[in-house]
Amino acid sequence: MKSLNFDVDSFIVGLSAIIGLVLGLGMQDTFTNITAGIWVAAIRPIDREEIVVVNGQTGKVKSVGIMSTELLTPDNQLITIPNKLVWGSSIVNMTRMPTRRASVDVGISYSSDIEKAIKIALDLMKGHPLILQEPEPAVVTTELASSSVNLQLRAWTKTGDFMGVKNSLTAGIFEAYRKEGIEIPFPQMDIHVKEIKREAKEIQKGVGIINLD
């Protein structure tokens, strides 16, 4: 090529620059994922066997690799998330803390005794063997809705017992209210039909004219 008067050195430099640019753009995500993986491994906002919400996905952490993180969903689906999305999004770690608060929402009718309903709920939580008494269980009124007064049961428990306590309280408050006559309303529509009396006032030329009172 030199014998044909081509500037080989300039050609090689130019070609190298193009190749470097292409490789750099192609490897950009790879380098970003590696860097994010290093930060995740160093700071450890998540760890194996913890249940987390990452980039809108919920599951148990199966592995945290240098390029990606794997989550196992409750229905046994494996989700692989690039580490740049893990590091670049909010992370909710649901099992890192030793205790959690279980909250159960329930609505009672406006005709029900709210003080009685609160006492029944408190007694249910205070008598539950897996609910901690410190912090103390509480019942708060969260909303005066269109067809119900909405209450929320709040009870602290160990993180490992969280789902069991939540399920137990949901079923328990339903049974307790039904037993004590506290009505839990459900969406319904009342339709009132008004009868309109019609009376024929006159008939002319074979045409009926009807006036409404």
Side-chain angles (χ1 to χ4, degrees):
M1 293 183 68
K2 283 186 176 182
S3 65
L4 297 175
N5 295 323
F6 281 102
D7 188 353
V8 179
D9 294 336
S10 299
F11 174 76
I12 293 176
V13 170
L15 181 61
S16 299
I18 293 174
I19 293 175
L21 180 61
V22 172
L23 290 177
L25 292 175
M27 297 294 288
Q28 183 176 0
D29 284 346
T30 300
F31 292 142
T32 303
N33 283 323
I34 291 175
T35 303
I38 293 173
W39 281 109
V40 171
I43 299 179
R44 305 185 75 82
I46 60 176
D47 209 343
R48 281 178 54 87
E49 302 300 315
E50 290 182 331
I51 299 176
V52 299
V53 181
V54 176
N55 196 40
Q57 304 289 344
T58 302
K60 181 183 290 187
V61 180
K62 184 175 177 63
S63 67
V64 180
I66 194 65
M67 290 288 293
S68 62
T69 296
E70 292 183 337
L71 301 182
L72 192 64
T73 65
D75 57 347
N76 208 35
Q77 296 184 72
L78 186 63
I79 301 176
T80 302
I81 305 175
N83 279 336
K84 69 174 184 178
L85 298 180
V86 176
W87 185 248
S89 66
S90 298
I91 299 173
V92 180
N93 194 319
M94 295 188 287
T95 53
R96 176 66 60 90
M97 305 305 291
T99 60
R100 284 188 65 186
R101 191 186 76 185
S103 300
V104 175
D105 295 308
V106 61
I108 63 173
S109 68
Y110 278 92
S111 61
S112 297
D113 186 339
I114 187 171
E115 295 297 330
K116 180 180 178 182
I118 290 175
K119 183 179 184 304
I120 292 172
L122 285 174
D123 290 342
L124 174 67
M125 290 186 289
K126 290 179 179 179
H128 198 292
L130 297 179
I131 290 178
L132 305 176
Q133 299 307 309
E134 183 62 37
E136 188 177 2
V139 179
V140 297
T141 304
T142 57
E143 184 183 9
L144 299 178
S146 59
S147 61
S148 65
V149 178
N150 294 338
L151 307 177
Q152 186 177 79
L153 285 64
R154 297 177 177 178
W156 287 86
T157 184
K158 294 180 179 179
T159 298
D161 298 327
F162 174 79
M163 287 305 301
V165 167
K166 188 175 179 68
N167 292 336
S168 177
L169 283 182
T170 302
I173 195 61
F174 173 77
E175 291 296 334
Y177 279 174
R178 185 171 64 173
K179 180 180 178 181
E180 296 295 333
I182 302 294
E183 181 184 358
I184 300 178
F186 54 89
Q188 56 185 326
M189 179 181 295
D190 295 331
I191 301 176
H192 302 277
V193 180
K194 183 177 180 180
E195 181 180 357
I196 302 177
K197 295 182 179 180
R198 300 182 179 183
E199 182 179 351
K201 293 298 185 181
E202 65 179 277
I203 301 177
Q204 293 180 347
K205 296 179 182 180
V207 178
I209 300 175
I210 301 176
N211 294 329
L212 300 181
D213 290 338

